Short mmCIF file of all heavy atoms in Angstrom, two decimals:
data_model
loop_
_atom_site.label_atom_id
_atom_site.label_comp_id
_atom_site.label_asym_id
_atom_site.label_seq_id
_atom_site.Cartn_x
_atom_site.Cartn_y
_atom_site.Cartn_z
N MET A 1 21.67 -2.20 -9.98
CA MET A 1 20.36 -2.52 -9.38
C MET A 1 19.42 -3.09 -10.45
O MET A 1 19.28 -2.53 -11.54
CB MET A 1 19.73 -1.24 -8.80
CG MET A 1 20.28 -0.88 -7.43
SD MET A 1 19.47 -1.71 -6.09
CE MET A 1 17.88 -0.85 -6.04
N GLN A 2 18.81 -4.18 -10.11
CA GLN A 2 17.85 -4.77 -11.02
C GLN A 2 16.52 -4.01 -10.95
O GLN A 2 16.07 -3.64 -9.89
CB GLN A 2 17.62 -6.23 -10.64
CG GLN A 2 16.88 -7.00 -11.71
CD GLN A 2 16.65 -8.45 -11.31
OE1 GLN A 2 17.20 -8.90 -10.33
NE2 GLN A 2 15.84 -9.15 -12.06
N ARG A 3 15.96 -3.78 -12.13
CA ARG A 3 14.70 -3.07 -12.18
C ARG A 3 13.58 -3.99 -11.75
O ARG A 3 13.53 -5.14 -12.13
CB ARG A 3 14.46 -2.60 -13.63
CG ARG A 3 13.41 -1.54 -13.73
CD ARG A 3 13.68 -0.70 -14.98
NE ARG A 3 12.62 0.28 -15.12
CZ ARG A 3 11.60 0.15 -15.99
NH1 ARG A 3 11.53 -0.90 -16.77
NH2 ARG A 3 10.68 1.06 -16.07
N LYS A 4 12.70 -3.43 -10.93
CA LYS A 4 11.58 -4.24 -10.45
C LYS A 4 10.58 -4.48 -11.58
O LYS A 4 10.24 -3.58 -12.33
CB LYS A 4 10.87 -3.54 -9.30
CG LYS A 4 11.77 -3.36 -8.08
CD LYS A 4 10.94 -2.82 -6.92
CE LYS A 4 11.82 -2.43 -5.75
NZ LYS A 4 12.35 -1.05 -5.90
N GLN A 5 10.16 -5.71 -11.70
CA GLN A 5 9.21 -6.07 -12.73
C GLN A 5 7.81 -6.15 -12.14
O GLN A 5 7.58 -6.76 -11.12
CB GLN A 5 9.58 -7.43 -13.31
CG GLN A 5 10.91 -7.44 -14.05
CD GLN A 5 10.88 -6.59 -15.32
OE1 GLN A 5 9.91 -6.63 -16.06
NE2 GLN A 5 11.93 -5.83 -15.53
N PHE A 6 6.89 -5.51 -12.83
CA PHE A 6 5.50 -5.59 -12.39
C PHE A 6 4.60 -5.48 -13.61
O PHE A 6 5.03 -4.98 -14.66
CB PHE A 6 5.18 -4.51 -11.37
CG PHE A 6 5.40 -3.11 -11.88
CD1 PHE A 6 4.37 -2.42 -12.48
CD2 PHE A 6 6.64 -2.52 -11.77
CE1 PHE A 6 4.57 -1.14 -12.97
CE2 PHE A 6 6.85 -1.23 -12.26
CZ PHE A 6 5.82 -0.54 -12.85
N GLY A 7 3.41 -5.99 -13.48
CA GLY A 7 2.50 -5.97 -14.61
C GLY A 7 1.05 -5.84 -14.16
O GLY A 7 0.75 -5.84 -12.96
N LEU A 8 0.19 -5.73 -15.15
CA LEU A 8 -1.24 -5.58 -14.86
C LEU A 8 -1.77 -6.79 -14.08
O LEU A 8 -1.51 -7.92 -14.44
CB LEU A 8 -1.98 -5.44 -16.19
CG LEU A 8 -3.44 -4.99 -16.10
CD1 LEU A 8 -3.53 -3.57 -15.56
CD2 LEU A 8 -4.07 -5.05 -17.49
N GLY A 9 -2.48 -6.49 -13.02
CA GLY A 9 -3.08 -7.55 -12.22
C GLY A 9 -2.19 -8.06 -11.10
O GLY A 9 -2.63 -8.88 -10.29
N ASP A 10 -0.96 -7.60 -11.06
CA ASP A 10 -0.05 -8.03 -10.01
C ASP A 10 -0.49 -7.47 -8.65
O ASP A 10 -1.04 -6.38 -8.57
CB ASP A 10 1.38 -7.55 -10.28
CG ASP A 10 2.05 -8.30 -11.43
OD1 ASP A 10 1.39 -9.16 -12.00
OD2 ASP A 10 3.21 -7.98 -11.71
N ILE A 11 -0.17 -8.20 -7.60
CA ILE A 11 -0.36 -7.70 -6.25
C ILE A 11 0.99 -7.24 -5.74
O ILE A 11 1.94 -8.03 -5.74
CB ILE A 11 -0.92 -8.79 -5.30
CG1 ILE A 11 -2.19 -9.43 -5.90
CG2 ILE A 11 -1.21 -8.20 -3.93
CD1 ILE A 11 -3.37 -8.51 -6.04
N VAL A 12 1.09 -5.98 -5.36
CA VAL A 12 2.38 -5.41 -4.95
C VAL A 12 2.32 -4.86 -3.52
O VAL A 12 1.25 -4.49 -3.03
CB VAL A 12 2.84 -4.29 -5.91
CG1 VAL A 12 3.04 -4.82 -7.31
CG2 VAL A 12 1.85 -3.13 -5.92
N GLU A 13 3.48 -4.85 -2.89
CA GLU A 13 3.61 -4.28 -1.55
C GLU A 13 4.38 -2.98 -1.69
O GLU A 13 5.39 -2.92 -2.38
CB GLU A 13 4.38 -5.28 -0.67
CG GLU A 13 4.44 -4.89 0.79
CD GLU A 13 5.18 -5.94 1.61
OE1 GLU A 13 4.66 -7.05 1.76
OE2 GLU A 13 6.30 -5.62 2.07
N MET A 14 3.89 -1.94 -1.02
CA MET A 14 4.54 -0.65 -1.09
C MET A 14 5.38 -0.40 0.16
O MET A 14 5.25 -1.11 1.16
CB MET A 14 3.49 0.47 -1.24
CG MET A 14 2.53 0.26 -2.40
SD MET A 14 3.32 -0.06 -4.00
CE MET A 14 3.66 1.62 -4.55
N LYS A 15 6.24 0.62 0.09
CA LYS A 15 7.09 0.92 1.25
C LYS A 15 6.26 1.38 2.43
O LYS A 15 6.61 1.14 3.58
CB LYS A 15 8.15 1.96 0.87
CG LYS A 15 9.25 1.31 0.05
CD LYS A 15 10.22 2.33 -0.53
CE LYS A 15 11.27 1.63 -1.39
NZ LYS A 15 11.99 2.56 -2.26
N LYS A 16 5.19 2.10 2.14
CA LYS A 16 4.28 2.52 3.20
C LYS A 16 2.92 1.85 3.02
O LYS A 16 2.36 1.92 1.94
CB LYS A 16 4.08 4.04 3.17
CG LYS A 16 5.24 4.81 3.74
CD LYS A 16 4.88 6.27 3.85
CE LYS A 16 6.03 7.10 4.42
NZ LYS A 16 5.70 8.52 4.48
N PRO A 17 2.39 1.23 4.08
CA PRO A 17 1.06 0.64 3.95
C PRO A 17 -0.02 1.70 3.85
O PRO A 17 0.18 2.86 4.21
CB PRO A 17 0.92 -0.18 5.24
CG PRO A 17 1.86 0.43 6.20
CD PRO A 17 2.98 1.02 5.40
N HIS A 18 -1.15 1.31 3.34
CA HIS A 18 -2.31 2.22 3.30
C HIS A 18 -2.78 2.47 4.73
O HIS A 18 -2.65 1.60 5.59
CB HIS A 18 -3.40 1.53 2.46
CG HIS A 18 -4.48 2.47 2.03
ND1 HIS A 18 -5.80 2.27 2.33
CD2 HIS A 18 -4.40 3.63 1.34
CE1 HIS A 18 -6.50 3.30 1.82
NE2 HIS A 18 -5.68 4.12 1.21
N PRO A 19 -3.34 3.66 5.01
CA PRO A 19 -3.84 3.94 6.36
C PRO A 19 -4.84 2.91 6.90
O PRO A 19 -5.02 2.78 8.09
CB PRO A 19 -4.51 5.31 6.19
CG PRO A 19 -3.74 5.96 5.10
CD PRO A 19 -3.37 4.85 4.16
N CYS A 20 -5.49 2.16 6.01
CA CYS A 20 -6.45 1.15 6.48
C CYS A 20 -5.74 -0.05 7.07
O CYS A 20 -6.37 -0.93 7.65
CB CYS A 20 -7.39 0.73 5.36
SG CYS A 20 -6.66 -0.41 4.16
N GLY A 21 -4.41 -0.11 6.95
CA GLY A 21 -3.66 -1.21 7.55
C GLY A 21 -3.23 -2.29 6.58
O GLY A 21 -2.47 -3.17 6.93
N THR A 22 -3.74 -2.21 5.38
CA THR A 22 -3.39 -3.22 4.36
C THR A 22 -2.18 -2.74 3.55
O THR A 22 -2.09 -1.59 3.22
CB THR A 22 -4.58 -3.44 3.41
OG1 THR A 22 -5.70 -3.86 4.17
CG2 THR A 22 -4.27 -4.47 2.35
N ASN A 23 -1.27 -3.66 3.28
CA ASN A 23 -0.18 -3.31 2.37
C ASN A 23 -0.11 -4.31 1.23
O ASN A 23 0.87 -5.02 1.04
CB ASN A 23 1.14 -3.24 3.13
CG ASN A 23 2.20 -2.49 2.32
OD1 ASN A 23 1.98 -2.12 1.18
ND2 ASN A 23 3.38 -2.32 2.90
N ALA A 24 -1.19 -4.38 0.49
CA ALA A 24 -1.24 -5.21 -0.72
C ALA A 24 -2.12 -4.48 -1.72
O ALA A 24 -3.29 -4.20 -1.46
CB ALA A 24 -1.81 -6.58 -0.39
N TRP A 25 -1.51 -4.15 -2.83
CA TRP A 25 -2.21 -3.34 -3.84
C TRP A 25 -2.25 -4.10 -5.16
O TRP A 25 -1.26 -4.71 -5.56
CB TRP A 25 -1.44 -2.03 -4.06
CG TRP A 25 -1.33 -1.17 -2.85
CD1 TRP A 25 -0.43 -1.32 -1.82
CD2 TRP A 25 -2.11 -0.01 -2.54
NE1 TRP A 25 -0.63 -0.30 -0.91
CE2 TRP A 25 -1.65 0.51 -1.32
CE3 TRP A 25 -3.17 0.65 -3.19
CZ2 TRP A 25 -2.20 1.64 -0.73
CZ3 TRP A 25 -3.72 1.77 -2.61
CH2 TRP A 25 -3.25 2.26 -1.39
N LYS A 26 -3.37 -4.01 -5.82
CA LYS A 26 -3.49 -4.65 -7.13
C LYS A 26 -3.32 -3.60 -8.22
O LYS A 26 -3.97 -2.55 -8.19
CB LYS A 26 -4.86 -5.32 -7.25
CG LYS A 26 -4.99 -6.10 -8.55
CD LYS A 26 -6.26 -6.94 -8.56
CE LYS A 26 -6.28 -7.84 -9.78
NZ LYS A 26 -7.42 -8.75 -9.78
N VAL A 27 -2.45 -3.90 -9.18
CA VAL A 27 -2.25 -2.99 -10.30
C VAL A 27 -3.41 -3.14 -11.28
O VAL A 27 -3.62 -4.23 -11.83
CB VAL A 27 -0.90 -3.29 -11.01
CG1 VAL A 27 -0.71 -2.36 -12.21
CG2 VAL A 27 0.27 -3.17 -10.04
N ILE A 28 -4.18 -2.09 -11.44
CA ILE A 28 -5.36 -2.21 -12.30
C ILE A 28 -5.26 -1.40 -13.58
O ILE A 28 -6.08 -1.52 -14.47
CB ILE A 28 -6.66 -1.83 -11.54
CG1 ILE A 28 -6.59 -0.44 -10.94
CG2 ILE A 28 -6.94 -2.86 -10.44
CD1 ILE A 28 -7.90 0.03 -10.32
N ARG A 29 -4.24 -0.56 -13.69
CA ARG A 29 -4.02 0.14 -14.95
C ARG A 29 -2.54 0.45 -15.14
O ARG A 29 -1.89 0.94 -14.22
CB ARG A 29 -4.83 1.45 -15.01
CG ARG A 29 -5.13 1.88 -16.44
CD ARG A 29 -5.77 3.23 -16.51
NE ARG A 29 -4.75 4.27 -16.67
CZ ARG A 29 -5.04 5.54 -16.87
NH1 ARG A 29 -6.31 5.94 -16.90
NH2 ARG A 29 -4.09 6.43 -17.01
N MET A 30 -2.05 0.16 -16.32
CA MET A 30 -0.66 0.45 -16.64
C MET A 30 -0.61 1.49 -17.73
O MET A 30 -1.44 1.50 -18.64
CB MET A 30 0.03 -0.82 -17.19
CG MET A 30 0.05 -1.98 -16.22
SD MET A 30 1.37 -1.85 -15.02
CE MET A 30 2.80 -2.14 -16.06
N GLY A 31 0.38 2.35 -17.66
CA GLY A 31 0.54 3.38 -18.69
C GLY A 31 1.59 4.34 -18.21
O GLY A 31 2.48 3.97 -17.45
N MET A 32 1.48 5.59 -18.59
CA MET A 32 2.39 6.60 -18.04
C MET A 32 2.13 6.75 -16.55
O MET A 32 3.03 7.04 -15.78
CB MET A 32 2.17 7.94 -18.74
CG MET A 32 2.80 7.99 -20.12
SD MET A 32 2.51 9.56 -20.92
CE MET A 32 3.35 10.69 -19.81
N ASP A 33 0.87 6.55 -16.18
CA ASP A 33 0.50 6.52 -14.77
C ASP A 33 0.05 5.10 -14.42
O ASP A 33 -0.48 4.38 -15.26
CB ASP A 33 -0.64 7.49 -14.49
CG ASP A 33 -0.24 8.93 -14.74
OD1 ASP A 33 0.91 9.29 -14.42
OD2 ASP A 33 -1.08 9.68 -15.25
N ILE A 34 0.29 4.76 -13.19
CA ILE A 34 -0.11 3.43 -12.70
C ILE A 34 -1.30 3.61 -11.74
O ILE A 34 -1.22 4.40 -10.80
CB ILE A 34 1.04 2.75 -11.92
CG1 ILE A 34 2.35 2.78 -12.71
CG2 ILE A 34 0.64 1.34 -11.51
CD1 ILE A 34 2.38 1.91 -13.93
N ARG A 35 -2.38 2.90 -11.99
CA ARG A 35 -3.47 2.92 -11.04
C ARG A 35 -3.46 1.62 -10.26
O ARG A 35 -3.39 0.54 -10.84
CB ARG A 35 -4.83 3.10 -11.73
CG ARG A 35 -5.97 3.22 -10.73
CD ARG A 35 -7.29 3.54 -11.38
NE ARG A 35 -7.36 4.91 -11.85
CZ ARG A 35 -7.67 5.97 -11.07
NH1 ARG A 35 -7.93 5.80 -9.80
NH2 ARG A 35 -7.73 7.18 -11.58
N MET A 36 -3.50 1.76 -8.95
CA MET A 36 -3.52 0.57 -8.11
C MET A 36 -4.63 0.68 -7.09
O MET A 36 -5.06 1.77 -6.71
CB MET A 36 -2.15 0.38 -7.43
CG MET A 36 -1.75 1.53 -6.53
SD MET A 36 -0.13 1.25 -5.82
CE MET A 36 -0.10 2.59 -4.62
N LYS A 37 -5.09 -0.47 -6.67
CA LYS A 37 -6.25 -0.54 -5.79
C LYS A 37 -5.86 -1.28 -4.51
O LYS A 37 -5.26 -2.37 -4.57
CB LYS A 37 -7.37 -1.29 -6.51
CG LYS A 37 -8.71 -1.25 -5.82
CD LYS A 37 -9.75 -1.88 -6.73
CE LYS A 37 -11.12 -1.85 -6.09
NZ LYS A 37 -12.13 -2.45 -6.97
N CYS A 38 -6.21 -0.70 -3.39
CA CYS A 38 -5.95 -1.34 -2.10
C CYS A 38 -6.83 -2.58 -1.98
O CYS A 38 -8.05 -2.48 -2.16
CB CYS A 38 -6.23 -0.35 -0.97
SG CYS A 38 -6.07 -1.07 0.66
N THR A 39 -6.22 -3.72 -1.69
CA THR A 39 -7.00 -4.94 -1.61
C THR A 39 -7.79 -5.01 -0.29
O THR A 39 -8.63 -5.87 -0.12
CB THR A 39 -6.11 -6.19 -1.73
OG1 THR A 39 -5.17 -6.19 -0.65
CG2 THR A 39 -5.38 -6.21 -3.06
N GLY A 40 -7.45 -4.12 0.65
CA GLY A 40 -8.15 -4.13 1.92
C GLY A 40 -9.46 -3.36 1.88
O GLY A 40 -10.52 -3.88 2.24
N CYS A 41 -9.40 -2.12 1.42
CA CYS A 41 -10.59 -1.26 1.48
C CYS A 41 -11.12 -0.89 0.11
O CYS A 41 -12.18 -0.28 0.00
CB CYS A 41 -10.28 -0.01 2.29
SG CYS A 41 -9.09 1.08 1.48
N GLY A 42 -10.41 -1.24 -0.95
CA GLY A 42 -10.89 -0.97 -2.30
C GLY A 42 -10.59 0.43 -2.82
O GLY A 42 -10.96 0.77 -3.93
N HIS A 43 -9.91 1.22 -2.03
CA HIS A 43 -9.53 2.57 -2.45
C HIS A 43 -8.49 2.47 -3.58
O HIS A 43 -7.58 1.66 -3.51
CB HIS A 43 -8.93 3.32 -1.25
CG HIS A 43 -8.48 4.71 -1.57
ND1 HIS A 43 -9.37 5.76 -1.68
CD2 HIS A 43 -7.25 5.22 -1.80
CE1 HIS A 43 -8.68 6.87 -1.95
NE2 HIS A 43 -7.40 6.56 -2.03
N SER A 44 -8.66 3.29 -4.62
CA SER A 44 -7.68 3.24 -5.70
C SER A 44 -6.95 4.57 -5.81
O SER A 44 -7.51 5.63 -5.55
CB SER A 44 -8.33 2.87 -7.03
OG SER A 44 -9.07 3.94 -7.54
N VAL A 45 -5.67 4.49 -6.16
CA VAL A 45 -4.86 5.69 -6.33
C VAL A 45 -4.12 5.63 -7.66
O VAL A 45 -3.83 4.57 -8.18
CB VAL A 45 -3.83 5.87 -5.19
CG1 VAL A 45 -4.50 6.14 -3.88
CG2 VAL A 45 -2.91 4.67 -5.07
N LEU A 46 -3.88 6.83 -8.20
CA LEU A 46 -3.17 6.95 -9.46
C LEU A 46 -1.82 7.60 -9.16
O LEU A 46 -1.75 8.65 -8.53
CB LEU A 46 -3.98 7.85 -10.40
CG LEU A 46 -3.53 7.93 -11.86
CD1 LEU A 46 -3.71 6.60 -12.56
CD2 LEU A 46 -4.33 9.00 -12.57
N LEU A 47 -0.74 6.94 -9.61
CA LEU A 47 0.59 7.45 -9.38
C LEU A 47 1.36 7.52 -10.69
O LEU A 47 1.25 6.62 -11.51
CB LEU A 47 1.37 6.50 -8.45
CG LEU A 47 1.04 6.48 -6.96
CD1 LEU A 47 1.84 5.37 -6.30
CD2 LEU A 47 1.35 7.79 -6.30
N PRO A 48 2.14 8.59 -10.89
CA PRO A 48 3.07 8.57 -12.02
C PRO A 48 3.98 7.35 -11.90
O PRO A 48 4.34 6.95 -10.79
CB PRO A 48 3.87 9.86 -11.84
CG PRO A 48 3.05 10.73 -10.96
CD PRO A 48 2.27 9.79 -10.08
N ARG A 49 4.35 6.80 -13.04
CA ARG A 49 5.12 5.56 -13.04
C ARG A 49 6.40 5.65 -12.20
O ARG A 49 6.73 4.74 -11.43
CB ARG A 49 5.47 5.20 -14.49
CG ARG A 49 5.95 3.79 -14.65
CD ARG A 49 6.34 3.51 -16.10
NE ARG A 49 6.56 2.09 -16.28
CZ ARG A 49 5.66 1.27 -16.79
NH1 ARG A 49 4.48 1.72 -17.16
NH2 ARG A 49 5.91 0.01 -16.92
N ALA A 50 7.13 6.77 -12.32
CA ALA A 50 8.37 6.94 -11.58
C ALA A 50 8.11 6.91 -10.07
O ALA A 50 8.86 6.31 -9.31
CB ALA A 50 9.05 8.24 -11.97
N ARG A 51 7.02 7.57 -9.66
CA ARG A 51 6.65 7.60 -8.24
C ARG A 51 6.28 6.20 -7.75
O ARG A 51 6.66 5.77 -6.67
CB ARG A 51 5.49 8.58 -8.04
CG ARG A 51 5.03 8.73 -6.63
CD ARG A 51 6.01 9.51 -5.77
NE ARG A 51 6.14 10.90 -6.16
CZ ARG A 51 5.30 11.86 -5.76
NH1 ARG A 51 4.34 11.58 -4.92
NH2 ARG A 51 5.46 13.08 -6.18
N PHE A 52 5.52 5.52 -8.60
CA PHE A 52 5.12 4.15 -8.25
C PHE A 52 6.36 3.27 -8.01
O PHE A 52 6.43 2.54 -7.04
CB PHE A 52 4.24 3.57 -9.38
CG PHE A 52 3.85 2.14 -9.16
CD1 PHE A 52 2.70 1.84 -8.44
CD2 PHE A 52 4.60 1.10 -9.67
CE1 PHE A 52 2.33 0.51 -8.22
CE2 PHE A 52 4.25 -0.22 -9.47
CZ PHE A 52 3.10 -0.51 -8.74
N GLU A 53 7.34 3.37 -8.92
CA GLU A 53 8.53 2.54 -8.81
C GLU A 53 9.35 2.90 -7.57
O GLU A 53 9.97 2.04 -6.96
CB GLU A 53 9.38 2.65 -10.09
CG GLU A 53 8.72 1.95 -11.26
CD GLU A 53 9.56 2.03 -12.53
OE1 GLU A 53 10.65 2.60 -12.51
OE2 GLU A 53 9.09 1.49 -13.55
N GLN A 54 9.32 4.17 -7.20
CA GLN A 54 10.01 4.59 -5.98
C GLN A 54 9.35 3.97 -4.74
O GLN A 54 10.02 3.57 -3.80
CB GLN A 54 9.96 6.10 -5.82
CG GLN A 54 11.00 6.84 -6.64
CD GLN A 54 10.78 8.34 -6.61
OE1 GLN A 54 9.93 8.84 -5.90
NE2 GLN A 54 11.55 9.06 -7.41
N ARG A 55 8.04 3.91 -4.78
CA ARG A 55 7.32 3.45 -3.59
C ARG A 55 7.17 1.93 -3.52
O ARG A 55 6.89 1.38 -2.47
CB ARG A 55 5.90 4.05 -3.58
CG ARG A 55 5.91 5.54 -3.33
CD ARG A 55 4.53 5.99 -2.96
NE ARG A 55 4.44 7.44 -2.90
CZ ARG A 55 3.31 8.08 -2.62
NH1 ARG A 55 2.20 7.40 -2.40
NH2 ARG A 55 3.28 9.39 -2.56
N LEU A 56 7.39 1.28 -4.64
CA LEU A 56 7.23 -0.17 -4.71
C LEU A 56 8.29 -0.86 -3.86
O LEU A 56 9.47 -0.58 -3.97
CB LEU A 56 7.34 -0.63 -6.16
CG LEU A 56 7.25 -2.13 -6.41
CD1 LEU A 56 5.88 -2.68 -6.01
CD2 LEU A 56 7.52 -2.41 -7.87
N LYS A 57 7.84 -1.75 -3.00
CA LYS A 57 8.78 -2.52 -2.19
C LYS A 57 9.04 -3.86 -2.85
O LYS A 57 10.17 -4.22 -3.10
CB LYS A 57 8.21 -2.70 -0.78
CG LYS A 57 9.18 -3.25 0.22
CD LYS A 57 8.58 -3.16 1.61
CE LYS A 57 9.36 -3.97 2.62
NZ LYS A 57 8.63 -4.04 3.89
N ARG A 58 7.99 -4.60 -3.13
CA ARG A 58 8.16 -5.87 -3.83
C ARG A 58 6.85 -6.32 -4.44
O ARG A 58 5.78 -5.84 -4.04
CB ARG A 58 8.71 -6.94 -2.90
CG ARG A 58 7.75 -7.31 -1.76
CD ARG A 58 8.49 -8.11 -0.70
NE ARG A 58 7.60 -8.37 0.43
CZ ARG A 58 7.15 -9.58 0.74
NH1 ARG A 58 7.47 -10.62 0.02
NH2 ARG A 58 6.36 -9.74 1.78
N VAL A 59 6.97 -7.23 -5.36
CA VAL A 59 5.79 -7.82 -5.99
C VAL A 59 5.42 -9.07 -5.20
O VAL A 59 6.23 -9.98 -5.04
CB VAL A 59 6.05 -8.16 -7.47
CG1 VAL A 59 4.85 -8.83 -8.09
CG2 VAL A 59 6.42 -6.89 -8.24
N LEU A 60 4.21 -9.09 -4.69
CA LEU A 60 3.78 -10.23 -3.88
C LEU A 60 3.34 -11.40 -4.76
O LEU A 60 3.66 -12.54 -4.51
CB LEU A 60 2.62 -9.82 -2.96
CG LEU A 60 2.97 -8.79 -1.88
CD1 LEU A 60 1.71 -8.40 -1.13
CD2 LEU A 60 4.00 -9.33 -0.92
N SER A 61 2.55 -11.11 -5.77
CA SER A 61 2.17 -12.15 -6.71
C SER A 61 1.99 -11.59 -8.09
O SER A 61 1.44 -10.51 -8.28
CB SER A 61 0.90 -12.86 -6.24
OG SER A 61 -0.24 -12.09 -6.55
N SER A 62 2.51 -12.31 -9.05
CA SER A 62 2.47 -11.87 -10.42
C SER A 62 1.33 -12.55 -11.17
O SER A 62 1.22 -13.77 -11.14
CB SER A 62 3.82 -12.17 -11.08
OG SER A 62 3.85 -11.67 -12.38
N ALA A 63 0.50 -11.74 -11.80
CA ALA A 63 -0.71 -12.28 -12.44
C ALA A 63 -0.41 -12.95 -13.77
O ALA A 63 -0.95 -14.01 -14.07
CB ALA A 63 -1.71 -11.17 -12.63
N GLY A 64 0.43 -12.32 -14.57
CA GLY A 64 0.57 -12.78 -15.95
C GLY A 64 1.81 -13.60 -16.24
O GLY A 64 2.04 -13.97 -17.38
N ASP A 65 2.59 -13.91 -15.24
CA ASP A 65 3.85 -14.59 -15.47
C ASP A 65 3.70 -16.11 -15.47
O ASP A 65 3.89 -16.77 -14.47
CB ASP A 65 4.87 -14.15 -14.41
CG ASP A 65 6.29 -14.56 -14.79
OD1 ASP A 65 6.46 -15.11 -15.88
OD2 ASP A 65 7.20 -14.30 -13.99
N SER A 66 3.35 -16.64 -16.61
CA SER A 66 3.14 -18.09 -16.71
C SER A 66 4.43 -18.82 -17.07
O SER A 66 4.49 -20.04 -17.03
CB SER A 66 2.05 -18.41 -17.73
OG SER A 66 2.41 -17.85 -18.99
N ALA A 67 5.45 -18.05 -17.43
CA ALA A 67 6.72 -18.67 -17.82
C ALA A 67 7.51 -19.17 -16.61
O ALA A 67 8.34 -20.05 -16.71
CB ALA A 67 7.57 -17.69 -18.60
N GLU A 68 7.18 -18.59 -15.45
CA GLU A 68 7.87 -18.97 -14.24
C GLU A 68 7.35 -20.31 -13.73
O GLU A 68 6.15 -20.49 -13.60
CB GLU A 68 7.66 -17.88 -13.17
CG GLU A 68 8.69 -17.93 -12.06
CD GLU A 68 8.52 -16.76 -11.10
OE1 GLU A 68 7.39 -16.59 -10.60
OE2 GLU A 68 9.47 -16.04 -10.88
N SER A 69 8.24 -21.24 -13.47
CA SER A 69 7.81 -22.57 -13.07
C SER A 69 7.41 -22.60 -11.60
O SER A 69 7.97 -21.92 -10.79
CB SER A 69 8.92 -23.58 -13.31
OG SER A 69 10.08 -23.21 -12.58
ZN1 ZN B 101 -6.85 0.55 2.11
#
């Protein structure tokens, strides 16, 4: 299995959408814990990195990846 790549500022989709109906989260802090913010209602949550990776479905848009053509 390929490890999912994500970085600061990326917009990611999770396996479960937020109760507000939006399923697009912006990664606003990277570290041992990942802080992400719902792009719909602005609510932010802090998840341990392992938990975040379990819940991550896919990366919708990558902020810092300029190498990709
Ligand atoms: Zn929300």
Side-chain angles (χ1 to χ4, degrees):
M1 279 275 287
Q2 193 181 350
R3 197 154 177 258
K4 297 187 189 85
Q5 295 294 317
F6 59 92
L8 192 65
D10 288 1
I11 308 295
V12 298
E13 187 179 292
M14 307 307 276
K15 284 171 182 164
K16 283 189 180 177
H18 195 237
C20 77
T22 301
N23 197 356
W25 300 80
K26 185 171 188 175
V27 179
I28 56 173
R29 205 187 93 174
M30 299 279 289
M32 283 179 62
D33 296 322
I34 310 291
R35 184 174 287 278
M36 60 182 190
K37 190 173 181 180
C38 175
T39 61
C41 67
H43 179 78
S44 75
V45 293
L46 189 67
L47 286 175
R49 195 182 191 99
R51 181 72 67 84
F52 177 87
E53 289 181 0
Q54 279 172 6
R55 291 196 188 179
L56 178 64
K57 190 170 167 189
R58 65 194 176 112
V59 177
L60 295 176
S61 79
S62 184
D65 194 3
S66 57
E68 199 175 53
S69 59

